Amino acid sequence: MSDLPPSTPLQPPKKVFVKTYGCQMNVYDSGRMVDTLAPKGWESVETPEGADLVILNTCHIREKAAEKVFTELGRLREHQANRAAQGGRMMIAVAGCVAQAEGAELARRAGNVDIVVGPQAYHRLPDLLARVEAMPGRKAARLVDTDFPVESKFDALPEEASARGASAFLAIQEGCDKFCTFCVVPYTRGAEFSRPAADVLAEARRLVAGGSIELTLLGQNVNAWHGDGPDGRAWSFGRLLRAVAEIPGLDRLRYTTSHPLEVDDELIAAHRDVGVLMPFLHLPVQSGSDRILAAMNRRHTAEHYRRVVGRLREARPDLALSSDFIVGFPGESEEDFEATLALVREVGFPQAFSFKYSPRPGTPAAEVKEGVVPEVVKADRLARLQALLGRQMAEFNASMVGRRMPVLLDRPGKRPGQRLGRSPYMQPVHLDAPESLDGRIVDVIIEGAGPIALAGRLADGERTAA
Ligand code: SF4
């Protein structure tokens, strides 16, 4: 625990600005970092101007991740100088996966960073800040904490300091033991860890009591979650989903990111039985070629993936899937790539994330020097894959026109009087609606579909409900 005194009414709140990169887990972590600081007198602000602390919560998935962090640190120098001119001090902390993977390099090269803190150590932020504040010179104040502590950060985190809005993330699992050869996650997030069911349920109840009606359970391998249930029995992820779904007031439940090898009978049955579980699942496959899947150490075949999808669709016929694809992995031939296109057509993904392969330092695939696919070939394959995915997305969106759909409204649209919400399939839906409906699920008649988003109008009866 921190030895910092709590804030008193005499002390104005200190301001922290958090910039988040990457995945939903980072969004969740950023919220939890603010939670750890709130009891120590910190309040979250929307811009870096005038902030006493800026946290860059970084992501290592994209290429040149560290370089992007250095660029951002360069931009922050001006804010730091302005703050110093006002007689204050802007501290900078770099958190997240770049901090974990390249902490020593960051500390060495970036002169304006005070703290480097890894994803498993951010519950120690208040103590790290107290130590930095107590040190005189900036150079002496550079602290790096990228340990994988024996204590779980989840045990050390306080309750959420504020409501999370209508749609909230909840981390239930972290880390990965799968060691896909292209991926840094097992090194940056560590071994698989499942939070106890009782803790997950308690946090889920608090979030729903705070007004969240949609929860997304998060983990790098979320469906690898397992643990002891409050009934004293061993629970699988499917059992946990059923328990979360029973929380009164919860209307929508989602989870991400899942692994095809961890889709078991209980999870498939949950998709059949749990009404609040949304009919949309992100299930990464990466490639449709068994040769490439083996080189990636995915530990499943394309046929296994097809079987899993078939069983999920039997359980939930309206299920739509999204996925992740890497094109141009070392050794990928045109035939391998065609196998990926065939899988994409067969499953009919209406959404997916697709990237050109690029080596991540420290991963086994980064050492592979043979079979490197030329950039021009990667670019061509990516363009062909994305064209196919784009067509499938447009067709899927067009199939929604004329349907009545429940839409969770949660933000302003582009023009006055317009709101933006999400369909059960995560499609953005634009419609005219009063702001008072924000945070509610309303029935919408879909009247138009674009390549990415839908447009509609409130169904009869919804306006009076406002
Ligand atoms: S399963 Fe996912 S998180 Fe784990 S190593 Fe593979 S890609 Fe990375």
Side-chain angles (χ1 to χ4, degrees):
M1 291 293 288
S2 163
D3 53 7
L4 266 182
S7 68
T8 70
L10 296 174
Q11 295 172 310
K14 291 174 282 186
K15 296 181 179 131
V16 54
F17 168 70
V18 187
K19 182 160 183 176
T20 308
Y21 302 79
C23 63
Q24 293 102 326
M25 185 67 94
N26 266 15
V27 175
Y28 175 86
D29 285 345
S30 291
R32 300 303 268 145
M33 285 183 218
V34 171
D35 291 338
T36 65
L37 296 173
K40 311 297 177 191
W42 290 88
E43 72 173 15
S44 175
V45 293
E46 299 298 316
T47 62
E49 283 90 29
D52 302 287
L53 169 66
V54 171
I55 301 175
L56 301 180
N57 193 12
T58 60
C59 168
H60 206 285
I61 290 291
R62 299 280 179 277
E63 215 173 350
K64 302 194 177 98
E67 292 314 312
K68 284 175 190 153
V69 174
F70 285 118
T71 306
E72 188 62 36
L73 288 169
R75 284 195 204 112
L76 287 172
R77 280 184 190 284
E78 195 182 327
H79 293 297
Q80 283 182 305
N82 293 342
R83 195 81 184 87
Q86 295 159 357
R89 175 182 183 187
M90 176 191 280
M91 292 179 285
I92 295 181
V94 179
C97 290
V98 175
Q100 188 67 42
E102 315 209 25
E105 175 77 354
L106 274 166
R108 192 179 61 78
R109 270 180 61 191
N112 59 339
V113 171
D114 298 282
I115 292 170
V116 175
V117 62
Q120 303 308 339
Y122 66 70
H123 56 294
R124 296 173 176 169
L125 257 177
D127 290 329
L128 292 167
L129 283 167
R131 285 163 59 194
V132 168
E133 284 175 320
M135 290 178 184
R138 176 169 293 283
K139 254 194 162 8
R142 208 164 304 151
L143 296 177
V144 179
D145 189 346
T146 48
D147 283 354
F148 288 95
V150 254
E151 84 271 12
S152 160
K153 75 178 169 210
F154 292 109
D155 292 340
L157 291 172
E159 289 189 9
E160 307 70 43
S162 59
R164 293 291 196 255
S167 183
F169 296 127
L170 198 177
I172 67 162
Q173 182 279 337
E174 219 176 334
C176 183
D177 298 340
K178 301 284 189 292
F179 290 93
C180 299
T181 54
F182 55 82
C183 181
V184 291
V185 165
Y187 313 101
T188 57
R189 294 273 174 169
E192 281 178 12
F193 167 80
S194 296
R195 291 179 71 189
D199 292 5
V200 171
L201 289 169
E203 189 169 332
R205 285 191 198 101
R206 287 197 303 272
L207 290 167
V208 174
S212 300
I213 56 175
E214 175 178 79
L215 292 183
T216 303
L217 307 185
L218 298 178
Q220 271 86 32
N221 258 295
V222 71
N223 55 338
W225 183 94
H226 61 280
D228 294 332
D231 58 4
R233 295 169 183 232
W235 279 18
S236 70
F237 179 60
R239 179 69 189 83
L240 182 73
L241 282 178
R242 285 177 192 267
V244 175
E246 280 166 14
I247 297 173
L250 182 68
D251 294 319
R252 288 183 168 190
L253 183 56
R254 304 179 185 276
Y255 63 90
T256 197
T257 294
S258 43
H259 194 287
L261 277 185
E262 307 279 1
V263 179
D264 62 9
D265 292 349
E266 212 166 356
L267 179 52
I268 290 170
H271 277 277
R272 183 190 63 215
D273 301 336
V274 176
V276 297
L277 196 53
M278 289 293 97
F280 182 73
L281 178 61
H282 184 65
L283 189 62
V285 62
Q286 309 297 356
S287 169
S289 154
D290 288 346
R291 227 171 52 81
I292 297 302
L293 288 171
M296 289 174 165
N297 192 34
R298 289 288 296 176
R299 308 187 208 183
H300 62 79
T301 60
E303 185 48 35
H304 177 89
Y305 188 86
R306 286 185 174 92
R307 270 201 309 274
V308 167
V309 169
R311 293 192 62 208
L312 283 164
R313 284 203 166 131
E314 250 171 55
R316 184 82 201 239
D318 59 343
L319 186 77
L321 289 120
S322 77
S323 196
D324 292 337
F325 293 96
I326 294 172
V327 301
F329 192 76
E332 186 190 70
S333 65
E334 177 61 22
E335 197 183 332
D336 294 317
F337 176 65
E338 292 283 347
T340 299
L341 293 180
L343 184 70
V344 168
R345 281 190 207 100
E346 196 179 321
V347 177
F349 300 101
Q351 289 182 34
F353 300 99
S354 49
F355 309 98
K356 286 187 286 185
Y357 171 75
S358 65
R360 294 288 168 276
T363 59
E367 305 302 317
V368 177
K369 301 289 176 251
E370 285 183 6
V372 172
V373 179
E375 274 307 308
V376 59
V377 176
K378 284 188 209 170
D380 173 65
R381 288 181 188 164
L382 185 65
R384 286 157 63 200
L385 174 62
Q386 291 186 338
L388 174 60
L389 288 165
R391 282 197 299 278
Q392 292 187 177
M393 184 192 266
E395 279 165 22
F396 184 70
N397 286 351
S399 74
M400 302 286 144
V401 175
R403 281 180 59 174
R404 184 182 177 115
M405 296 183 96
V407 173
L408 171 50
L409 298 179
D410 64 350
R411 68 198 69 179
K414 282 193 186 134
R415 50 177 180 72
Q418 195 184 52
R419 313 301 301 167
L420 186 59
R422 294 267 170 193
S423 76
Y425 299 106
M426 293 296 282
Q427 296 142 303
V429 183
H430 300 266
L431 67 151
D432 288 335
E435 193 180 339
S436 57
L437 289 180
D438 263 10
R440 285 186 42 186
I441 295 172
V442 295
D443 272 357
V444 173
I445 307 293
I446 303 301
E447 295 179 316
I452 293 167
L454 304 175
R457 64 173 165 80
L458 284 173
D460 292 344
E462 288 290 2
R463 207 176 296 271
T464 48

